[in-house]
Amino acid sequence: EAGVAQSPRYKIIEKRQSVAFWCNPISGHATLYWYQQILGQGPKLLIQFQNNGVVDDSQLPKDRFSAERLKGVDSTLKIQPAKLEDSAVYLCASSLGSSWRTDTQYFGPGTRLTVL
Amino acid sequence: AQSVTQLDSQVPVFEEAPVELRCNYSSSVSVYLFWYVQYPNQGLQLLLKYLSGSTLVKGINGFEAEFNKSQTSFHLRKPSVHISDTAEYFCAGQAAGNKLTFGGGTRVLVKP
């Protein structure tokens, strides 16, 4: 079974530039998550999709971050414009459903973003 | 609000020695607890989870954890570590219907 795919693996940009990350979840997984992991910290949930609808985006900085999952499969996360404090690893995860009791989240390898 | 605290940021340990990684949580409602491992340049992988029932939970790769409600702890243990256990370990908690909240991580370095 193929895992969660993410690209690019690494990205270096200058502040105020734009950047986009792509995630392809495990086939058949309805729920997709984007996390931000700042160096030395645990992952923090940015947004959760159930199919192509947003379930939770309470911690997404909506003035500069946006995410979409148009067909309920792949997802993109965009930052525009980037700030120095956005330097982090962006993790995508997926799960079969949205049951917090039984559905394990499977994580991709992440995209490491460096903002100069 | 729920929070998860990992008391050690780094734990050096010799190969074949036991290791314990400490995790404490705070929550005013029922909580579900998880341990994830992150190998270098890889995503997080679930080691084990506690939802209910037996307080001793066994996971993959010989790891186990014990849920202690009175001490609000969920410490992870392995009786004998291998070089391949070098990784970062994250404790996470989830209150009913809410998002996963992760601790800050514990970096385990296994020395030969």
Side-chain angles (χ1 to χ4, degrees), chain B residues 41-85:
Chain B
N41 298 314
Q42 295 186 28
L44 279 72
Q45 180 183 0
L46 182 67
L47 275 177
L48 48 81
K49 60 184 177 183
Y50 171 79
L51 301 180
S52 64
S54 173
T55 57
L56 184 62
V57 181
K58 292 190 183 297
I60 62 172
N61 301 342
F63 284 93
E64 63 181 31
E66 186 160 15
F67 173 66
N68 188 318
K69 189 173 183 179
S70 63
Q71 297 187 9
T72 61
S73 68
F74 190 56
H75 300 336
L76 180 72
R77 302 185 185 93
K78 185 170 182 177
S80 175
V81 296
H82 303 290
I83 295 289
S84 59
D85 292 322

Side-chain angles (χ1 to χ4, degrees), chain A residues 21-90:
Chain A
F21 312 127
W22 174 82
C23 172
N24 180 235
I26 293 173
S27 178
H29 279 196
T31 308
L32 186 147
Y33 313 78
W34 282 103
Y35 288 86
Q36 181 191 58
Q37 185 179 14
I38 292 172
L39 185 65
Q41 300 180 20
K44 180 184 80 172
L45 180 69
L46 291 177
I47 189 167
Q48 176 184 342
F49 292 95
Q50 176 75 14
N51 295 309
N52 61 350
V54 175
V55 173
D56 184 348
D57 64 357
S58 57
Q59 298 191 101
L60 186 74
K62 298 181 186 63
D63 58 332
R64 299 183 300 105
F65 285 64
S66 64
E68 59 184 13
R69 194 184 184 200
L70 293 175
K71 297 183 179 179
V73 181
D74 294 5
S75 176
T76 55
L77 176 70
K78 296 179 182 178
I79 307 175
Q80 180 179 10
K83 292 185 176 181
L84 295 177
E85 59 261 36
D86 298 332
S87 293
V89 175
Y90 291 85

Side-chain angles (χ1 to χ4, degrees), chain A residues 9 37 42-43 56 100-101 108, chain B residues 32 38 41 43 51 90 99 103:
Chain A
R9 291 295 312 277
Q37 185 179 14
D56 184 348
W100 47 270
R101 280 187 60 83
Chain B
Y32 305 90
Q38 187 174 32
N41 298 314
L51 301 180
F90 291 94
K99 62 177 70 70

